[in-house]
Structure formats: C-alpha cells, structure tokens
Amino acid sequence: MLNAARRGTPSPADTRAAAVRAARRWIAAALAVAVAALLASRGVETAAQATINGLVTGTYFALGAVGLSLVFGVLRLVNFAHGDMLTFGAYVALLLNAALGWPIVPATLGGVLATAALAAASELAIWRPMRARRAGGFQLLLITVGLAFVIRNGVQLVAGADPLQLRLDVTTAVALPGGLRIGTVELWVVVTGLGALLAVATLLRYGRLGKEMRALADNLSLAEVAGIDTGRVILATWLFAGALAGLAGVLSSAAAGILTPNFGFQLLLSLFAATILGGIGNAYGALAGGLLLGFAEEWSTMFVDARWKLAVGFVILILTLLVRPNGLLGRPALK
Amino acid sequence: MTASATGAGTAMLEVAGVVAGYVPDVDVLAGVDIAVDRGELVTVVGPNGAGKSTLLKVIVGLLRPRVGGVRLRGRRLDRLAPHEIVSRGIGYVPQLENVFPSLTVEENLEMSAARTSRDEARRRIAELLELFPAIARARRRPAGLLSGGERQMVAMARALVPQPEVLLLDEPSAGLGPEYVELVFQKIVEIRRTGVSVLVVEQNARRALALSDRGYVLELGRKRFEGTGPALLENETVVELYLGRRQGGG
Ligand SMILES: Nc1ncnc2c1ncn2[C@@H]1O[C@H](COP(=O)(O)OP(=O)(O)O)[C@@H](O)[C@H]1O
Ligand SMILES: [Mg+2]
C-alpha cells in the first residue's frame, strides 16, 4: 500500500521488477518445453489423446471453480455445498433426459436453471438472513457442510445410490487432423463449456454486473456506499455460480458417462485446488487453474496410474503455491 | 448564511439528536446535532476517537442511529440502505480503503453511475477526469497501483459521479504528501464552488477551518463548540484544547 510505484523515470524497483518478469517468462517457457518433451516421449498420439482428455476435464473443472471462486470472492464464503450443486444439476438433467425423455439440450438447460434457482433459494433462505444476523465465518462454513449433505442425501432419496447414465450416444466420434479422434459427446462438452467460460470471462471483464461483482469482492462496504445495490449483486452472483455449477455437473457426468450422488462431492477437492491454484477469489484465476489442473491430471495418467490423478493435482497445487503463494493470478494484497 | 444553518428545518442536511454506537450499551455518539446548508463547506474537528467518522457513517447509512434522525432537504434518510441514501444525493468518501483496488480508475467511477444511462455515465466520467487531471492519465490502471494521493483523487471523483447535493469526506488529506494535501484542499474549494455542500472531517484542522463557512468541535461523542471557521480559529479554548499551539504546518 505504501510502496505503490510512482510513475516517471523508471526506478531501480521498476527495473528489478522487469528483470523478474523476464526471468519468469524464461522459466515458464523452459517448463513448457520440458512438459512437451516429456509428453512426446510417450508418443505423439498418446500425448495428444491425453491432452484432449485434459481439455475435457479442465473445462468442467474451470466451470465449477469459477462459481466457487465468485462466491468466495464476493461473500468470503467457502462453499462446501458447491460440489453437490454440480450433482444436483446433473441429476435434474438426468431426470428430464432419461426419465421424461427430453432431448439432451433442453434437459441440460433445465439442469442449469434448476441449479441456479437452488443457489438463489439458498441465498434468500439461508445466507441473507445469516448475514443480517452477522453470523461468524465458522458458523457459515458449518452450514455449507450441512447443506452439502442435505443436497446429496436429497438426490439419493429421489434417484437412489446406484450409478445412472444420461441418454447419450457415446459411440460416435469425430476425426481430427493427424489421425486423432474425439468422442462426439466430449466435443460437445468442450465446445459448450469453453463457450460458457468465454461468455463468463467477457461478462466479468466488460459487463456492468461483472464489474460490480469484482467491486464487491474488493470491498463490500465501499460497494454499498458507492451506491451499488449489493443485495441484488449478491443474488446475481449466486444465480451465476449455480448456473455454472449446474452446467459443470451435466458436462462432467456426460463426459464420465456415469453419475452417482457422490460425484460432485468427489470433484469438490479438485475445484478447491483449481480455485487456490489460480488465486483465491479471482474468477479468471479459477478459470485458468481449472484448465491447468485438468491438463495436469490427464497428462499424469501417461506416467502414473490414473488412480493417482487427484494426488498429482495436489502436488502441482503445492508446488505452485511454493513459488507463488497467492496463486497464479493472485496478487499480494492490493488493498 | 451562517445564522440560517441552525434554524430548524431549513438546512440541506440535518443531523438531529443522533445517538449511535457499534456495540450494545456503548454510545459513540451521545446526541449530536449538526447541519449543513446549501453550498456550505462545514468542517468537523476533534480528537481521535471523538466519533467524527462514526457521524459520517450514520449519515451514509452504514450505521443506524439508536435515537434521532438524519434528513436531507427535510426528507428522512436514516433507516434507508446506503445505496438508497447515495441515490438521494449523498456522496461519501471513507478515510481508508476508499477505492476498488482491482478495478481501473475508470471502472471505479463507473461503480457510482448505477442510475445513469451509459452515455450519460461516460459524459459524467469524462467531465470528472477533467476536474481531476492527476488521475486522468491513469484511467486504465488498476486503482490499487496508484499512490495514496492519486487514490484519494479517484475516491473523491467517484463520490461526485452521481452529482450529490452533499459530499462527505473523512480525513481526505490524512497520510498524503504535502503536494497532495494542497491539491485535496484545492479540490474541496472547487467542488464547493460548483454548488455542492461539503461536510469534511479533518485532522488538518487549522487549514480546513480557515476555508470553511462553519465548523464543529466534537469530543467524546458530543458537540463541544460550533461557529464560523474564523470564530473557531480565534476561540482560545478551542485553539488551546483542540488545535494545539500554533506550530505552522496546519
Ligand atoms: N467498527 C467499530 N466497532 C466498534 N467500535 C468502533 C468501530 N469504529 C469505531 N469505533 C469506536 O468508536 C469511537 C469513535 O470512533 P471514530 O468515529 O472512528 O472516531 P474519530 O473518527 O473521531 O477518530 C472510538 O472509540 C472507536 O474505538
Ligand atoms: Mg476517523
């Protein structure tokens, strides 16, 4: 706060910062070359396939992590129920698709909207009243854990605990240049997910609502006295986070081909990791962290058994935090 | 101009009998009455912990009075949410953390343009950047990267975006280098000249009172003295107890 750079002639500190930036670029480039070489050592085709898988996984990681990060940024709430919001969205889509026979696109939309509504309802019924009572952070955390169980058990009560499947054609694939193939379903997952992520990034960067969300994340009480209706922005944040969670849930269960009431909760750790990797509370960071984590986990399956994917993700998280304690895009306390 | 300010019901902004505090049973403000007339510059001074910042927080709705009320042009403000109070014509610049660090300077100003059309907002922001040339060249930079003085300019410009009738400033010159202290006071005078009433809390009491139409001395949540700027500066008790011995600087 006190060492904010003065402009004009470059100070020694500026020169040093430029040198550090240049060094970082070299390290990043060297790392990229090393990763590429390592991947190529297993055969270009295997590497390319793992990359495609990484893109699929990274897409739904990023979708889930952005919502988690938005809620944390705006409300300082660590939402343990976020993973189960993914589950909820996927099961609503499943209900519409498999039980009621809706085509997959409207069923997906139904899952997205229902999850957004669930998130908004949690704001109106729980979070807003709790804030008005000035509940402490620990109480709120416990409530999210409780809510996670309520959602998961509710899903299980209705749908049962057995694995279920969306009605999708998982047999067709699309040929890509270079003899590679990507499943039609996976292609749709990537296209839809990346499209949604692009829309979110654009809204956050340029949209009035996105800027307001960032303002609330910076300083809630300043946002209020600047004239922003913070209650409205918080509700919108929940709608948004819920919609993204619902989409992430449908896409991840479509990609996996199978869903159980536990899958969202099992994904939650990876979503937290992606959020922290990118810089906690920074939605762009969560987006980048999710994609990166997806690639890392899938690439790792070329070298170690797929069972260790999650562990690999966390090793990467810890290594990153050792180098950048505030995450990839996190800044040391700008305030 | 000075006499009418205390006359009932005629003031632009009126704080009447306000009792307020943060925790139960502790009154930080113990019955405060102040008023600001149209186009007036009014300064509140007093020792640390007197309740000056608390007074501004009550006016802008961050804290609800336990007793008493706040009126703008005779219309009640207390019990409204801060964003509603702002939309009724109050601008407020807190002392610390008064910019959004990750938003650019321009985006900071946009945040207070909620109720205007896009074009209107753009026009207003351009106008304010002209009034604050010190930050105009940094318009695309994140506010968190600016110096303390530049951030103060951003915060003041932001509060002026919705064209408030009364601007509340909490120690706008605190912690700034001499050139920015000068600039802050110069801006306050310019703002007041555009017809905006200004209520300012200042550590730099001599300097502020010299520019002010009127001033109040607050201590332990109570009003101790009030009068025109020059009268307070000549009041021996006020000078002795609250302004300290003449040591230049101020
Ligand atoms: N957020 C808060 N919670 C509890 N007490 C507070 C808070 N803010 C200020 N106070 C107390 O209220 C009193 C007046 O504070 P303040 O209005 O900030 O004084 P001033 O601005 O005149 O220095 C002080 O005793 C301070 O400790
Ligand atoms: Mg103060």
Side-chain angles (χ1 to χ4, degrees), chain A residues 1-2 4-7 134 205-208 211-212 214-216 218-232 331 334-335, chain B residues 60 62 82-83 86 92 94 96-103 107 110-115 137-138 141-142 144-147 150-151 158 179:
Chain A
M1 172 171 176
L2 293 175
R6 293 262 165 99
R7 259 155 295 94
R134 303 187 184 284
R205 185 87 187 80
Y206 302 107
R208 163 107 208 148
K211 290 176 191 175
E212 286 175 337
R214 287 191 281 137
L216 262 68
D218 269 1
N219 188 335
L220 184 67
S221 83
L222 181 62
E224 269 179 45
V225 299
I228 298 174
D229 181 350
T230 52
R232 175 183 60 80
R331 292 194 193 164
L334 260 181
K335 281 188 206 185
Chain B
V60 79
L62 285 175
H83 73 269
V86 168
Y92 168 60
L96 298 169
E97 303 197 346
N98 52 19
V99 298
F100 301 108
S102 70
L103 302 193
E107 288 169 340
E110 275 174 47
M111 289 303 99
S112 286
R115 269 152 227 274
R137 61 203 154 86
R141 298 190 70 199
L145 298 180
L146 304 184
S147 73
E150 290 167 329
R151 284 204 300 263
R158 196 226 75 231
E179 60 300 16

Side-chain angles (χ1 to χ4, degrees), chain B residues 33-236:
Chain B
D33 306 283
I34 68 157
V36 181
D37 255 347
R38 171 187 300 282
E40 247 190 337
L41 170 55
V42 175
T43 297
V44 178
V45 301
N48 264 335
K52 306 180 296 294
S53 298
T54 305
L55 173 66
L56 298 191
K57 285 183 200 163
V58 167
I59 297 171
V60 79
L62 285 175
L63 194 64
R64 285 200 173 164
R66 292 178 179 145
V67 182
V70 179
R71 286 167 191 277
L72 182 71
R73 296 171 169 283
R75 288 174 63 195
R76 213 127 174 211
L77 291 187
D78 49 296
R79 316 264 140 198
L80 296 179
H83 73 269
E84 294 168 318
I85 293 178
V86 168
S87 76
R88 291 212 183 10
I90 301 279
Y92 168 60
V93 179
Q95 182 186 345
L96 298 169
E97 303 197 346
N98 52 19
V99 298
F100 301 108
S102 70
L103 302 193
T104 66
V105 167
E106 232 164 26
E107 288 169 340
N108 263 271
L109 303 203
E110 275 174 47
M111 289 303 99
S112 286
R115 269 152 227 274
T116 46
S117 71
R118 222 167 239 270
D119 289 343
E120 174 69 19
R122 204 167 297 153
R123 219 204 68 245
R124 182 72 185 140
I125 288 169
E127 206 173 280
L128 283 163
L129 288 177
E130 227 164 90
L131 184 65
F132 292 90
I135 53 168
R137 61 203 154 86
R139 61 205 295 168
R140 299 259 148 73
R141 298 190 70 199
L145 298 180
L146 304 184
S147 73
E150 290 167 329
R151 284 204 300 263
Q152 189 62 39
M153 295 292 128
V154 173
M156 287 170 71
R158 196 226 75 231
L160 289 170
V161 168
Q163 303 194 281
E165 295 186 289
V166 180
L167 181 65
L168 314 174
L169 301 172
D170 198 348
E171 307 208 9
S173 76
L176 304 186
E179 60 300 16
Y180 270 106
V181 170
E182 198 51 46
L183 195 54
V184 162
F185 282 112
Q186 187 190 321
K187 289 301 164 192
I188 291 175
V189 170
E190 279 176 35
I191 291 164
R192 185 268 208 98
R193 204 178 293 138
T194 64
V196 178
S197 309
V198 182
L199 178 61
V200 57
V201 168
E202 255 299 335
Q203 284 290 320
N204 218 329
R206 282 172 191 287
R207 184 71 206 276
L209 285 173
L211 295 173
S212 299
D213 297 305
R214 291 183 310 107
Y216 294 95
V217 179
L218 215 62
E219 187 178 20
L220 291 173
R222 287 176 201 283
K223 185 168 73 182
R224 281 293 139 89
F225 292 92
E226 62 180 291
T228 64
L232 286 176
L233 284 172
E234 278 159 23
N235 182 318
E236 298 229 333

Side-chain angles (χ1 to χ4, degrees), chain A residues 209-279:
Chain A
L209 181 63
K211 290 176 191 175
E212 286 175 337
M213 285 177 185
R214 287 191 281 137
L216 262 68
D218 269 1
N219 188 335
L220 184 67
S221 83
L222 181 62
E224 269 179 45
V225 299
I228 298 174
D229 181 350
T230 52
R232 175 183 60 80
V233 178
I234 289 171
L235 188 61
T237 304
W238 277 110
L239 279 167
F240 220 66
L244 291 174
L247 185 61
V250 179
L251 295 187
S252 66
S253 59
I258 204 160
L259 73 168
T260 66
N262 280 329
F263 93 88
F265 189 68
Q266 286 161 356
L267 274 179
L268 185 65
L269 270 182
S270 294
L271 300 186
F272 276 139
T275 313
I276 298 165
L277 185 63

